Amino acid sequence: MATDELFNQIAAQTADRKKESDAAFAVLNGGKVSQEMGEDPELTAIFKRFAYGDIVRQTPKLTEKQRQLLSLAALTTRENYKMLETHVEMALNVGATPLEVRETLYQLAPYIGFGNVYEALNHANSVFTRRGIQLPLADQGTVTDETRVEKGSEIQLGIYGDFIRNNRKNSPDDQMHIQVDLAADCFGDFYTRGTLDFKMRELINIVSLAAQGGVDEELEGHIKGSLKVGNDRETVVQAFTVILPFLGYPKTLHAMEAINKVAPVK
């Protein structure tokens, strides 16, 4: 299809943005169509129609639960904690379990640091408490100190193969402990946990890396990992589309360049 024709075809789909965004927003907010407009009603109206109208329409392969979990990953990475609480509420309203919310945040720890995740958990736990959800939630760990290296390395090599072998081979001796930590902590402590599968964990990873920016090698590597565990190009593109309202265009376009490099359109 010609470029202009495709552009005009997609643009024509925005005719019912208000209706679409109202319907999506109602699902996310327990039937409430209206949104608190605050002191900047114009910006809020623009955001609502874009995030809950355009973006929802443009990401049909993702469930609403997936959209919200990926939004939580992006908001946590960007340290947008006030909006994070709103989206924790939304995630629960569309069927995400408290464990799924918590595991999304836990998965971010190797990529953004434990401190930021603890801060995000404070806000998520506030929502859980308001809803009468008993804390702490059930443990999801499956490894021990004796098995975390072996189990983590098995997963790491299964997804990334020769890339990891080469990293270990080329590592200076005084940095080999980082290679061990990657296997034991990033993969052993987190990928082995319950609730979320590898496909969702890798989508969370690439969303977080895209939200950080400046980590091109890691982003491209985890896009390859995401494809290896079963996500396709379309799913990755839509995952980046979901977080556009929270990242802005420069970081989102950069993420799209990464998927185009890793898995170009055939």
Side-chain angles (χ1 to χ4, degrees):
M1 185 179 294
T3 300
D4 288 347
E5 183 181 352
L6 178 59
F7 181 94
N8 291 332
Q9 178 180 318
I10 293 174
Q13 297 173 1
T14 66
D16 294 325
R17 293 175 74 236
K18 185 178 186 304
K19 181 179 179 181
E20 291 176 351
S21 63
D22 282 349
F25 192 78
V27 171
L28 289 164
N29 286 275
K32 298 178 182 178
V33 175
S34 62
Q35 181 175 13
E36 177 59 49
M37 304 303 271
E39 297 177 351
D40 292 285
E42 286 186 296
L43 183 63
T44 301
I46 291 170
F47 171 75
K48 179 181 175 182
R49 294 184 190 183
F50 183 50
Y52 308 123
D54 297 334
I55 298 298
V56 170
R57 185 187 336 103
Q58 294 164 1
T59 56
K61 287 201 73 171
L62 301 177
T63 65
E64 191 53 68
K65 180 169 72 173
Q66 287 177 308
R67 292 190 193 102
Q68 292 309 310
L69 295 180
L70 294 176
S71 296
L72 294 180
L75 289 166
T76 299
T77 302
R78 301 297 297 165
E79 300 180 27
N80 298 145
Y81 298 124
K82 183 174 181 180
M83 189 172 280
L84 175 70
E85 286 200 25
T86 298
H87 284 269
V88 170
E89 295 274 12
M90 289 180 172
L92 296 173
N93 285 342
V94 295
T97 67
L99 281 174
E100 287 172 323
V101 170
R102 189 189 70 175
E103 286 303 312
T104 296
L105 303 183
Y106 273 31
Q107 180 62 26
L108 297 171
Y111 303 91
I112 66 174
F114 284 85
N116 286 343
V117 172
Y118 273 122
E119 184 65 26
L121 286 168
N122 285 337
H123 290 269
N125 288 338
S126 293
V127 175
F128 294 159
T129 299
R130 290 198 298 269
R131 287 188 170 227
I133 297 167
Q134 185 173 355
L135 297 174
L137 301 177
D139 290 349
Q140 295 295 294
T142 64
V143 295
T144 65
D145 284 348
E146 291 71 33
T147 63
R148 60 196 285 268
V149 176
E150 177 186 357
K151 296 295 184 181
S153 188
E154 180 182 332
I155 294 170
Q156 187 185 32
L157 289 170
I159 298 175
Y160 296 100
D162 287 342
F163 178 78
I164 297 301
R165 294 185 182 92
N166 289 334
N167 281 350
R168 295 177 184 178
K169 180 180 179 181
N170 296 325
S171 175
D173 289 352
D174 64 354
Q175 296 175 20
M176 185 59 71
H177 64 284
I178 302 297
Q179 297 300 317
V180 175
D181 290 341
L182 277 169
D185 180 49
C186 185
F187 289 88
D189 291 337
F190 290 97
Y191 276 69
T192 60
R193 293 177 61 80
T195 301
L196 299 179
D197 61 16
F198 290 169
K199 292 173 68 173
M200 193 63 200
R201 290 184 185 276
E202 282 294 345
L203 289 179
I204 291 166
N205 294 343
I206 63 173
V207 159
S208 178
L209 292 167
Q212 291 179 56
V215 287
D216 293 358
E217 182 178 353
E218 291 81 1
L219 177 58
E220 290 173 14
H222 275 282
I223 289 174
K224 292 176 183 177
S226 185
L227 298 172
K228 179 69 179 292
V229 299
N231 294 310
D232 58 15
R233 174 191 159 92
E234 189 177 7
T235 300
V236 172
V237 168
Q238 291 187 22
F240 289 147
T241 302
V242 163
I243 61 173
L244 169 57
F246 311 117
L247 267 60
Y249 288 93
K251 282 186 169 63
T252 303
L253 288 171
H254 198 73
M256 294 300 186
E257 290 175 5
I259 180 62
N260 290 340
K261 181 178 178 180
V262 171
V265 176
K266 297 180 179 179

